[in-house]
Structure formats: structure tokens, C-alpha cells
């Protein structure tokens, strides 16, 4: 497909050794599956980040819509360079990044991202992430059993026709574990105006750990910290991660290692940005249980915060003497 210079939206998808996962991911970013957006108004830029078996150009050429393939040879272990290459090559006024090509998308993701980008002068359009399955992916999983279970779950719902049913077979990921009404650690699919990407300089390529460590978290935090940034969180849309032996979910790179790497580069341990999100979207019946879960999580956080405030007030009234055995 020839390159279009007038698309509204570009989606950059970074992939490394994802022969099983990438075809399903790209199916969910294809015209027909994505609803409310015309095929000629968006493009998908697939960046092959040094896969041992390169993605076949013929495979990409056979896909519907405006899809392009870039290949990074001698690729670093981190996806940062590949992501920045794709972002630089994107032509849309709004550019979305899916730094992990194993993430399938809900069918309203792109149309709602475009709507969300219009509600603020400096929008940061974010989405939550889920893991396919009834539990989160972890280092304790048997990889082959996990993938077999995912394949069976996907076969149990007509996701290619009714993509929002992916919510029925998924669990909130760790970085999205606070739900729609709490702080986010990162965005699984982040959409920014092209000018914002230029100001931020893309992803920080100093993050060199396999899988990038907290490079995506850092990007999200920097975007939210821009003067005038308005965080817009897509309600009822998101991405769904397929198990592929990733550096973080497999345990090959621990959270402690990633935090230490972040601290060495940024001077402090990572904390989610505190921006109050504007919620935009529609919630179908398939995702309602996740809304209920998000409400419960928010209520629990508020109860704990109130308990901490009560404890501080009690300590202050007692002349600063710790209570409950705390010292």
C-alpha cells in the first residue's frame, strides 16, 4: 500500500519475535475491525525490531488498509530505538504507539482516540491494558500452557466480529491494576499529537534493558508532566496482551531491576503521574464488570487514604506520638 500523507492517525506497532501474536494484533488494527474510522484515514506502521525470523514483507502487503513495514537489523534489546524510528516515519497528525506488538486492540480504540485528541489543546490520550486470561501473566506461568489457554479463550468468543468481547476473557494488567478511576503506571496504547512527540523527543533510548525496562512508563510520565497536558483516558477501550515470553512478564527482568535502572537514569524511583484523567468513551455490556471492579478499587483506595488521614490526625492530637505500634 502506498504511503498516504493526509491520514488523521498513525499507529506504530513494535514487534520482536511475535510470529504467533502479531497477526492477531494486526487483525485488530485493520479496517473493518476498527469501527467508526474510515480505512483511508489511518495507517499502521509495523516496526520489526530485529526478529530472528524477519517479518515477511509479503505478509504485510497482503493485509487490508494502509500498512507499512520497517525493519531494524542489529536491533538493541530495548524497543526504544525501533519505536522512535516508527514515530519519525509516521505521517498522521495524531500518532499512537503500541510498544508491544503482542497487544490486541478493542474495536473502538482508534476512533475514540481521535475524538479524545480534540478535547484539549495538549491532549495525552491513554488507554488501559489487560492480560488475556483469568489471571495476570507472570514468571510462574508455564509459557506453553499459558499460550494454549489463551488460544482456547480466543476461540471461545467471536472476537473478530465482536472485539469488545475480549473484555470478557481478560484481566487488568499490573500497570493498569487501579482501573479506570485510579493512577496509571503506563499506557498500553498512547496517542499524542505529532508536535508533542517532537517536543518529548520520543522514547528515551538510554533505557537499554531487554524489553526497555520502564521506558514506556517514563514516556507516559513525561507526556503527562508537560505544561498544559490534559490526560484523556479512553473508557470502554483498551488493549489485550498475549503471552510471548516478554522480558517483564516472564520475570527475566525484575521490577526491582527496572526500578533501579529508572532511578539511575532519572534520579528517583518511578511513581505514576498524578494527573486527574478526563474519561471519554462508551461502556458496552462486555466491559461493565471492569467498571464495577474499578469502582471497588477506587473505594478501597479512598478508605485507606481516609484511614491514613485519621491516623495522622490522631498522632497530631497526641503530640506527635506514633500510634498502632508504628515508629
Amino acid at each position: 500500500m502506498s504511503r498516504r500523507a493526509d491520514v488523521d492517525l498513525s499507529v506504530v506497532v513494535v514487534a520482536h519475535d511475535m510470529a504467533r501474536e502479531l497477526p492477531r494484533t494486526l487483525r485488530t488494527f485493520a479496517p473493518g475491525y476498527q469501527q467508526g474510522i474510515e480505512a483511508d484515514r489511518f495507517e499502521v506502521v509495523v516496526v520489526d525490531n530485529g526478529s530472528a525470523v524477519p517479518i515477511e514483507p509479503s505478509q504485510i502487503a497482503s493485509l487490508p488498509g494502509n500498512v507499512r513495514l520497517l525493519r531494524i537489523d542489529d536491533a538493541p534489546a530495548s524497543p526504544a530505538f525501533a519505536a522512535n524510528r516508527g514515530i519519525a516515519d509516521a505521517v498522521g497528525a495524531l500518532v499512537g504507539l503500541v510498544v508491544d506488538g503482542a497487544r490486541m486492540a478493542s474495536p473502538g480504540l482508534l476512533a475514540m482516540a481521535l475524538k479524545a485528541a480534540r478535547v484539549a489543546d495538549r491532549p495525552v490520550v491513554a488507554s488501559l491494558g489487560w492480560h488475556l486470561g483469568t489471571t495476570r501473566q507472570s514468571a510462574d506461568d508455564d509459557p506453553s500452557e499459558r499460550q494454549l489457554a489463551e488460544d482456547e479463550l480466543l476461540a471461545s468468543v467471536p472476537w473478530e466480529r465482536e472485539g469488545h468481547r475480549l473484555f470478557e476473557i481478560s484481566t487488568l494488567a499490573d500497570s493498569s491494576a487501579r482501573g479506570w478511576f485510579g493512577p496509571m503506571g503506563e499506557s498500553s496504547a498512547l496517542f499524542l499529537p505529532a508536535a508533542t512527540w517532537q517536543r518529548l523527543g520520543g522514547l528515551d533510548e538510554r533505557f537499554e534493558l531487554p524489553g526497555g525496562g520502564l521506558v514506556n512508563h517514563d514516556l507516559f510520565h513525561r507526556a503527562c508532566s508537560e505544561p498544559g497536558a490534559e490526560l484523556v483516558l479512553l473508557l470502554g477501550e483498551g488493549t489485550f496482551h498475549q503471552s510471548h515470553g516478554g522480558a517483564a512478564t516472564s520475570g527475566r527482568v525484575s521490577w526491582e531491576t527496572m526500578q533501579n535502572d529508572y532511578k539511575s537514569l532519572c534520579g528517583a524511583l518511578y511513581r505514576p503521574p498524578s494527573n486527574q484523567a478526563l474519561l471519554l468513551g462508551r461502556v458496552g455490556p462486555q466491559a461493565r464488570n471492569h467498571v464495577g471492579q474499578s469502582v471497588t478499587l477506587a473505594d478501597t483506595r479512598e478508605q485507606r487514604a481516609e484511614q491514613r488521614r485519621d491516623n495522622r490526625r490522631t498522632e497530631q492530637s497526641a503530640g506527635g506520638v506514633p500510634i498502632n505500634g508504628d515508629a
Side-chain angles (χ1 to χ4, degrees), residues 33 104-105 132 154 159 163-170 240:
Y33 179 94
M104 302 167 71
L132 290 175
L154 288 167
W159 62 269
H164 285 108
R165 294 196 64 180
L166 291 169
F167 284 108
E168 298 175 4
I169 57 172
S170 299
F240 306 87

Side-chain angles (χ1 to χ4, degrees), residues 10 34 36 54 57-59 90-91 98 106 112 118 126 162 167 173 180-181 192 200 202 212 221 231 237 265 271 290:
S10 297
Q34 283 297 320
S58 60
Q59 174 190 357
V91 298
V98 180
S106 60
M112 293 310 300
R118 301 186 188 110
E162 303 174 39
F167 284 108
W180 273 304
F181 309 119
L192 302 171
L200 292 173
H221 199 288
L231 176 60
E237 305 294 342
L265 293 172
R271 294 290 182 270
H290 295 288

Side-chain angles (χ1 to χ4, degrees), residues 116 124-128 179-182 184 231-235 277-281:
V124 177
V125 181
S127 61
L128 296 185
W180 273 304
F181 309 119
M184 301 167 56
L231 176 60
V232 188
L233 181 57
L234 300 183
L235 187 63
L278 171 65
L279 294 168
L280 178 69

Side-chain angles (χ1 to χ4, degrees), residues 58 131 136 202 272 288-289 295:
S58 60
H131 287 178
R136 295 170 189 158
R288 286 175 188 162
N289 64 317
V295 171

